[in-house]
Amino acid sequence: MELIDEGLLHTYDKAIESYVGAKEEIGPAKAAIIALLNSYSSKMSDINLLIKNNRYASANIIIRTAFENEIYIRYILGRKNRQELRGNAYFYSDFQKLSDYLTHMDSTEIFNATELIDSMNNSNNSDILGHFKNVNDYLNRFRQQFRSCFRFNGNENTKGLRFRTFNDSEPFQQCKIDKWKWYNDDNKTSNFRLLVTRLHYTDEYMALYSPTSDDVHSDGLRRSIKPNKDNHRLIISESYNPSMLIFFRGSVIDNIKLMQQSTDDLHVRSNLKHFREQAKNIYVANYRYGRKR
């Protein structure tokens, strides 16, 4: 059975642990990077678990989301001189989910955005808004921080990044910035496909992202149902392409290298170099010569 080698995953987790312990302060950018690295590790483990249990359609869904996860890691860590801004953009883009939720809530028959905002503003639960006074205060601060992550030349058209601050008593309003993609730091990358093309992973996109679309959107269920002529029953089958796992095995080595390049902590860099060599040895021993795990 083809899997992502457990030894690779263990080495990857040890590398993340070392990276987290680097001397740099864990601010919003590094917190975002750590979250993405850990999420990616979890997704790869989930892929293995689902494959072991013959849940191939579910594995394909996780493969697709894991690919997105990995592209984000490579985008943020790909340029050290921009990783702070890119990590911050990912972190502060969190406000966009709340904005979208509130915008569409009034279109439902059950929920009301104003009532939810009032409930959040009057809640005694510190987990709701943290240190922010109210929803408008949260949105104001996050929009400001998010906007500061994008620096364009004076001639650039940045209407999509426009917003204004709202006082405590004003009703919620969605701003243009609420729809700006956090990875659009060149004013040309307005969707995930364009990000993939920009990073030169179009081949991987076609091999991993597009084929798994049917399982994500339940569009290809007809092909999973086959008639059994002997007993006139239907056979429901699931499948996946083992070659899709090649990308994830190699990504472990690539990500450890990216972590190594992104820290100035010499001790941690030395540790990460060791983990990278260890991962390379596991990869060569198990896959270079056709040995399967």
Side-chain angles (χ1 to χ4, degrees):
M1 178 181 291
E2 292 271 6
L3 297 170
I4 305 169
D5 191 278
E6 296 292 342
L8 277 177
L9 297 182
H10 177 71
T11 302
Y12 184 60
D13 287 339
K14 296 295 290 183
I16 295 173
E17 182 181 340
S18 179
Y19 177 73
V20 171
K23 66 181 180 181
E24 293 95 355
E25 179 183 354
I26 300 180
K30 187 165 183 179
I33 294 167
I34 292 170
L36 284 167
L37 291 168
N38 278 316
S39 178
Y40 189 56
S41 175
S42 177
K43 287 182 176 73
M44 288 191 290
S45 295
D46 289 345
I47 290 168
N48 276 354
L49 179 64
L50 290 165
I51 291 173
K52 287 177 183 177
N53 287 278
N54 302 317
R55 303 296 295 272
Y56 301 133
S58 296
N60 283 336
I61 294 171
I62 304 299
I63 284 172
R64 181 180 166 110
T65 61
F67 177 72
E68 291 179 351
N69 196 151
E70 175 62 4
I71 291 298
Y72 294 158
I73 291 171
R74 297 190 185 202
Y75 165 73
I76 294 175
L77 293 181
R79 292 183 61 179
K80 187 174 181 180
N81 65 334
R82 289 198 175 187
Q83 73 178 35
E84 188 77 13
L85 287 175
R86 291 176 174 181
N88 281 339
Y90 177 85
F91 181 90
Y92 288 111
S93 68
D94 184 70
F95 80 91
Q96 295 177 329
K97 298 180 181 65
L98 176 61
S99 173
D100 186 68
Y101 188 66
L102 293 174
T103 299
H104 293 96
M105 181 171 285
D106 285 337
S107 65
T108 69
E109 296 180 359
I110 302 175
F111 300 103
N112 178 284
T114 301
E115 291 178 357
L116 176 62
I117 291 172
D118 289 342
S119 175
M120 294 174 68
N121 289 343
N122 296 322
S123 175
N124 293 321
N125 186 347
S126 60
D127 293 334
I128 301 296
L129 288 172
H131 63 279
F132 298 102
K133 295 185 298 181
N134 49 55
V135 169
N136 273 351
D137 184 37
Y138 163 78
L139 291 172
N140 287 340
R141 292 282 298 278
F142 267 61
R143 283 170 178 150
Q144 290 167 352
Q145 293 288 352
F146 184 72
R147 177 63 184 89
S148 69
C149 298
F150 302 94
R151 301 171 182 174
F152 301 114
N153 296 326
N155 295 328
E156 291 275 6
N157 183 351
T158 57
K159 291 182 180 179
L161 281 165
R162 288 181 178 175
F163 73 99
R164 76 173 183 85
T165 57
F166 296 88
N167 62 44
D168 295 352
S169 61
E170 287 184 283
F172 163 78
Q173 292 184 45
Q174 190 173 52
C175 300
K176 288 183 178 295
I177 196 173
D178 298 2
K179 296 184 178 181
W180 188 273
K181 294 296 184 182
W182 68 269
Y183 45 72
N184 188 11
D185 65 350
D186 63 351
N187 205 9
K188 299 175 183 178
T189 313
S190 58
N191 58 56
F192 183 70
R193 177 66 182 270
L194 290 174
L195 176 62
V196 168
T197 303
R198 177 179 165 189
L199 298 180
H200 307 293
Y201 287 105
T202 305
D203 290 344
E204 290 81 357
Y205 179 93
M206 297 304 296
L208 294 168
Y209 200 80
S210 295
T212 55
S213 178
D214 284 349
D215 289 312
V216 171
H217 301 293
S218 301
D219 291 335
L221 294 180
R222 178 185 58 80
R223 291 192 295 274
S224 68
I225 301 175
K226 300 178 182 179
N228 186 329
K229 296 180 180 179
D230 296 332
N231 55 19
H232 305 288
R233 293 182 178 179
L234 292 177
I235 299 174
I236 301 176
S237 62
E238 297 181 3
S239 63
Y240 83 106
N241 186 347
S243 65
M244 290 194 290
L245 301 183
I246 296 172
F247 173 82
F248 299 104
R249 295 169 185 144
S251 70
V252 169
I253 301 170
D254 294 339
N255 283 0
I256 295 175
K257 181 180 180 180
L258 288 171
M259 285 186 268
Q260 182 184 351
Q261 293 173 339
S262 71
T263 180
D264 294 322
D265 189 319
L266 296 180
H267 177 68
V268 171
R269 291 184 70 171
S270 177
N271 287 342
L272 291 170
K273 180 180 180 181
H274 166 74
F275 288 129
R276 183 169 175 247
E277 290 300 318
Q278 185 175 317
K280 287 169 65 176
N281 290 337
I282 294 172
Y283 182 88
V284 170
N286 290 344
Y287 304 113
R288 181 69 62 83
Y289 303 108
R291 179 179 165 192
K292 297 180 179 179
R293 285 278 178 174

